[in-house]
Amino acid sequence: GYTEADGDCHDADPTIAPGQAERVDGRDDDCSGQPDDGTSASDDDGDGVSELGGDCDDANAEMSPGRPEALDGFDNDCDGLIDNRLADRDGDGFTTDEGDCSDVDGFIYPGGLESCDGIDNDCDGAVDEGCGGQDDVVDAPTGCGCQGAPSAMAWLSAAAVTLLTRRRRTSSAGSR
């Protein structure tokens, strides 16, 4: 082994010496001067948070839980989303910081048209307000002017009937 003159920081313990593998144990196993360095318990980037504490990139001090998100292509706050709240992910012209309540759907944004579909389409905190009947569309700024709008199921049903009718006509014409 090593002696104190050789850099052994705990001569009485043979598991602690220069060159030893560092373990998560709160001790300086490799005599580097820092306990648990290079392990998930160590704050390698100096931001005050280790990987065990939730740091998603312990080599980058600009990324750790609680940091403000920046529009830089990184997950600064370690919540699993890159540039969330700052980027317009669905292309509707609004970010979540600007009130977009669903930044994955370009038809849902502040001031959008409210559809009677069980969703807050205009991001005002209310669902299907102003809807007089099923499948109505409401002009969000005024809350009135409901217009009948066929539901997706109605469109699918109509398309299926049209296709079946065409197929029967084609089959009938071909068998003559």
Side-chain angles (χ1 to χ4, degrees), residues 69-133:
E69 192 69 67
L71 191 58
D72 60 2
F74 294 103
D75 180 16
N76 306 92
D77 58 3
C78 292
D79 66 355
L81 302 171
I82 296 173
D83 298 340
N84 56 312
R85 299 185 315 271
L86 300 175
D88 179 17
R89 298 186 188 289
D90 58 14
D92 61 12
F94 295 91
T95 67
T96 54
D97 274 358
E98 297 169 324
D100 195 339
C101 55
S102 176
D103 208 23
V104 295
D105 187 329
F107 295 103
I108 299 175
Y109 54 88
L113 290 178
E114 186 69 57
S115 296
C116 298
D117 56 3
I119 299 171
D120 179 16
N121 307 96
D122 58 2
C123 298
D124 66 354
V127 175
D128 296 343
E129 71 276 5
C131 291

Side-chain angles (χ1 to χ4, degrees), residues 11 25 27 29 37 45 56 83 93 100 108 127 139 146 175:
D11 201 28
D25 58 7
R27 303 181 331 169
D29 300 306
D37 59 315
D45 59 12
C56 56
D83 298 340
D100 195 339
I108 299 175
V127 175
D139 180 17
C146 291
S175 62

